[in-house]
Amino acid sequence: MDFDVLVIGGGLAGLVAATEAADRGLRTCILDQEGEQNLGGQAFWSLGGLFFVDSPEQRRMRIRDSYELARQDWLGSAGFDRPEDHWPRLWAEAYLQFAAGEKREWLHRQGMRWFPVVGWAERGGSLAAGHGNSVPRFHVTWGTGPAVIEPFIRRARAAEAAGRIVFRFRHQVDRLIVTNGAVTGAQGTILKADTIQRGGASSRHPVGEFEISAGAVIVASGGIGGNHDLVRKSWPVDRLGPAPKSMVAGVPAYVDGRMLAIAQSAGGRIVNGDRMWHYTEGLRNYDPIWPNHGIRILPGPSSFWCDADGNRFQAPAMPGFDTLATLRAIRARGHEYSWFILTKAIIKREFALSGSEQNPDLTGKDIRLLLSRLGRNPPGPVQAFMDKGEDFVVRDNLEDLVAGMNELTGEHRLGVQHVRAQIEARDRELDNPFNKDAQITAIHGARKYLGDRFMRTAKPHRLLDPKAGPLIGVRLHVLTRKTLGGLHTDLHARVLGANDEAIPGLYAAGEVSGFGGGGMHGYNALEGTFLGGCLFSGRVAGRSVGA
């Protein structure tokens, strides 16, 4: 054997798996089809949100959380209902215990810290036993995505210096080697070196071939979000309606799903391939890093949300409440996009953009810049999209706004009187503390949480109040992001075959395994759980391989 362990993928899950294996004395090789500049993978671009249960940060914000409540939320969101959900459900139970137990301390010991205000993501908006987080659980890492991967890059480089880890960049795996029923290595293509910036679409020009043997292989190659053809092929039409013809990419092009089919050819079973997580609040990036680059808005609860014809969505399709319910509502009407209508007062308080590069204050750990979010104007990155982004229309009155929105699309589908009637009906509900509008009730509820009142929810006001203006229209695209299904694995991260027996020598971690078991999220995610799923499944794989 060339190595004890071969890890395919140098993203977060692969780094965690490799460092855990190396710490056990196993000679480990990390292969990645991208260059060294992409070490850490997609996690680098994230906001660094992590799901903790009953954390010190929550308690300081007067949030009462518990394992029992988190379990209720998770299982209500997951909706496990298939025979192949046996292992995903066990992974979910194990992850919840991890998130409520040693997860935070394990990461804290490695130097990670978190922003003190806990975010309330994916709030649900339906029944207590249904989808959504009952309380805020979204802990933003101080330093965002780069700070999440940093401890594991540091550990991997130290192991490299000690001779326990070897990196092989620009090595694209084409086939897993199977010997007497066991996976014993990988073969593939050596790609030409490419100095393109991190996240950019690198070349696939071959310059050689390789073959590496190993006692075991851990596949940690990520999902399919950068491969829109594969996303559409896997799209659950019965649940979400027809796949959009137009989507923006929330992940780099190298998130291509190649290793799913390659692992399947070696005997691995893929389950829940129709479960996926895509956002409905995508913007086209005016300064793209990868092809068709989209940025997600992280909205507060106050924007007026309507379809392409100007029809307001009903609860739970409200900003920040139920992602897939809103996606279903958009696709059920056959639309490719939707609209936010809001005011300057809302955008300056409630709009944040996902991604490390869109949050220089949090990423750079710059407290002075962070405090500027509380100023009179929108944060700098948001203002830049207002000024340069193709999806924003800013006007002083509703007539001009609707005209500008129609001009932007060229479809002229919006009628100003139709839009006005709905906004005025919404605004009337603000005249007293009693109302029947679910969104207005949600806004009042959000402001009872100190974190939302302080940073994320504007003071309730009429959208047509000139003092709150100007008015802003934002076209929202469907943005691809996460694969919720994947390679079927047991609780040791061993890949299972068609007969549900472990394939000797083959393991999987991260998104390629549905973050554990072939889909530990079930049908829905609670947010802050994707990085956590990579951390947990990578740790399990690294501690199990070769045991």
Side-chain angles (χ1 to χ4, degrees), residues 234-282:
S234 305
W235 191 273
V237 175
D238 58 328
R239 296 197 313 277
L240 298 180
K245 297 177 182 178
S246 173
M247 299 181 285
V248 293
V251 295
Y254 59 69
V255 186
D256 55 19
R258 290 183 73 255
M259 283 305 304
L260 282 165
I262 292 170
Q264 190 175 35
S265 296
R269 183 187 179 198
I270 297 172
V271 296
N272 300 319
D274 62 329
R275 294 178 182 171
M276 53 186 66
W277 189 257
H278 306 305
Y279 293 109
T280 52
E281 312 100 330

Side-chain angles (χ1 to χ4, degrees), residues 1 14 24 29 33 103 148 167 191 198 308 339 345 348 406 431 449 474 509:
M1 294 185 301
R24 295 170 50 223
C29 176
Q33 68 182 6
K103 176 183 176 183
V148 175
F167 289 96
L191 303 175
R198 178 189 280 270
W339 289 102
K348 72 178 183 180
N406 280 328
D431 284 345
Y449 168 49
V474 186

Side-chain angles (χ1 to χ4, degrees), residues 141-144 146-147 356-357 359-367 369:
T141 302
W142 188 232
T144 69
S356 55
E357 82 285 8
N359 293 273
D361 48 0
L362 293 168
T363 302
K365 304 180 182 181
D366 188 329
I367 294 176
L369 185 59

